[in-house]
Amino acid sequence: MDYTNLRRQIISMKKSLFDQGYLDEQFNQLEELQDDSSPNFVDEVVALFFKDSSRLLTNIEQALEKYPQDFYRLDSLVYQFKGSGSSIGALRMKNECSMFKAHCNDRDLEGYRTLDDSSSIPASHSLLEQLHLIPWLTQMPPVTPEDKEGACHSEAEAGDIFSCKHKHQIKGPVST
Amino acid sequence: MASAAAERKVIRVLLVEDEEIHKVLARALLRSAVGGVELDEAGTGAEAVRRVRDGGASAGAYDLIITDGKMPVMDGHEATRRIRAMGVTTPIVGLSSDTFPSDVDAFIKAGADDFTPKPLSKEKLVRILAKFNLV
């Protein structure tokens, strides 16, 4: 398996989540709390978030379908969702929850529903599914000098490896 | 009480929180920020009140109480009121995702000494521990 490219892609994905405002500093806190005594801490917290969020999204959707709407229950569900998301640094989702709660307080969800689909809680949540990949960074074999040498080529460029100015030692089939 | 905790070098914390993700985070942060911590947990405000009462209210069972706001059975505001009504002066910090001034006021009026918005972080915890002379 081409761990170098996989590692690079996961790092790039993580950076993108930060750059686009989906994650904030809180996620770094989780990584700082991961150590030899808690080697799977990030994975554990992320898993708890998705366990919570799966249940809460279902409950929120069911609550939205009821009429008249139980704004107290919706507010309570979104409160839990916001808190859970904030624990992993899900910044954009936290802000979406705040906006949703404001609409609940105003007893006006029509205003929230007219927002662009990309600005919804489920949309932000689905993008965060990529977080499942991050624990792989600590589980992959360590980077070797050979990995670093081959790192200048993406899988798509593997066929051009012989034209590269760098000297490469090819071990086994070149992945495509 | 704070100096006793410092002399003891182990602080006794009661975490009042019903959601597992916040408990996992708080446990890790407390163990990271404080060399010695005895952590008790209560899943509702009612359980928190019982733990404080049964632990010996006058003896000061805890050096710090961190409590969520919304919880089933009894919320953090009511738990704070009842703990204060017992004459307990242990520092109580409200922790909540609701951060409007009215949410903060609700905790302070109930008798909490401080409030910090979720999520709990190393910086927030260090500030709290320093404020109450627990490190």
Side-chain angles (χ1 to χ4, degrees), chain A residues 48-151:
Chain A
L48 277 170
F49 165 70
F50 282 110
K51 182 182 168 189
D52 282 347
S53 63
S54 174
R55 169 181 57 85
L56 290 167
L57 272 175
T58 299
N59 290 343
I60 289 170
E61 284 167 9
Q62 288 173 349
L64 284 171
E65 286 169 7
K66 289 186 177 176
Y67 187 84
Q69 247 136 29
D70 185 343
F71 288 103
Y72 179 80
R73 174 158 171 74
L74 273 169
D75 183 82
S76 176
L77 290 170
V78 178
Y79 170 87
Q80 291 177 59
F81 204 107
K82 180 182 174 185
S84 186
S86 71
S87 292
I88 65 162
L91 176 62
R92 189 177 282 200
M93 210 192 73
K94 184 175 74 172
N95 293 339
E96 290 295 332
C97 288
S98 293
M99 197 182 309
F100 187 94
K101 279 171 64 64
H103 282 276
C104 282
N105 287 340
D106 293 339
R107 301 292 192 264
D108 174 26
L109 291 180
E110 288 308 311
Y112 183 80
R113 288 196 177 100
T114 57
L115 291 173
D116 188 321
D117 282 343
S118 65
S119 305
S120 68
I121 295 171
S124 297
H125 176 265
S126 66
L127 271 159
L128 291 171
E129 297 272 351
Q130 298 169 82
L131 288 175
H132 284 302
L133 294 172
I134 289 179
W136 278 68
L137 286 171
T138 56
Q139 292 167 22
M140 280 190 275
V143 176
T144 65
E146 288 80 7
D147 289 332
K148 287 181 182 174
E149 218 178 341

Side-chain angles (χ1 to χ4, degrees), chain B residues 3-135:
Chain B
S3 59
E7 285 175 11
R8 207 187 312 127
K9 295 181 182 176
V10 172
I11 66 166
R12 294 174 297 201
V13 179
L14 175 61
L15 174 67
V16 192
E17 172 62 65
D18 62 321
E19 293 173 54
E20 186 63 22
I21 193 170
H22 298 300
K23 286 193 271 190
V24 166
L25 182 59
R27 284 175 206 144
L29 284 166
L30 278 163
R31 289 186 175 122
S32 170
V34 184
V37 61
E38 287 177 11
L39 180 63
D40 272 355
E41 296 177 11
T44 69
E47 188 183 349
V49 171
R50 182 182 59 76
R51 281 183 177 273
V52 172
R53 184 185 59 235
D54 294 351
S58 60
Y62 299 103
D63 302 305
L64 176 68
I65 299 171
I66 300 174
T67 177
D68 185 16
K70 290 183 180 174
M71 287 177 289
V73 182
M74 184 189 293
D75 66 24
H77 309 109
E78 181 60 25
T80 299
R81 266 189 288 275
R82 294 198 186 194
I83 289 170
R84 288 292 183 243
M86 288 191 278
V88 173
T89 58
T90 301
I92 298 176
V93 177
L95 179 70
S96 176
S97 299
D98 286 335
T99 56
F100 287 116
S102 57
D103 302 312
V104 180
D105 281 346
F107 260 117
I108 303 302
K109 282 179 182 170
D113 300 280
D114 203 341
F115 173 91
T116 191
K118 282 183 178 176
L120 195 58
S121 68
K122 185 178 176 182
E123 288 72 24
K124 291 173 187 172
L125 186 58
V126 166
R127 181 189 69 77
I128 289 167
L129 294 172
K131 176 173 179 177
F132 299 112
N133 297 316
L134 292 173
V135 287

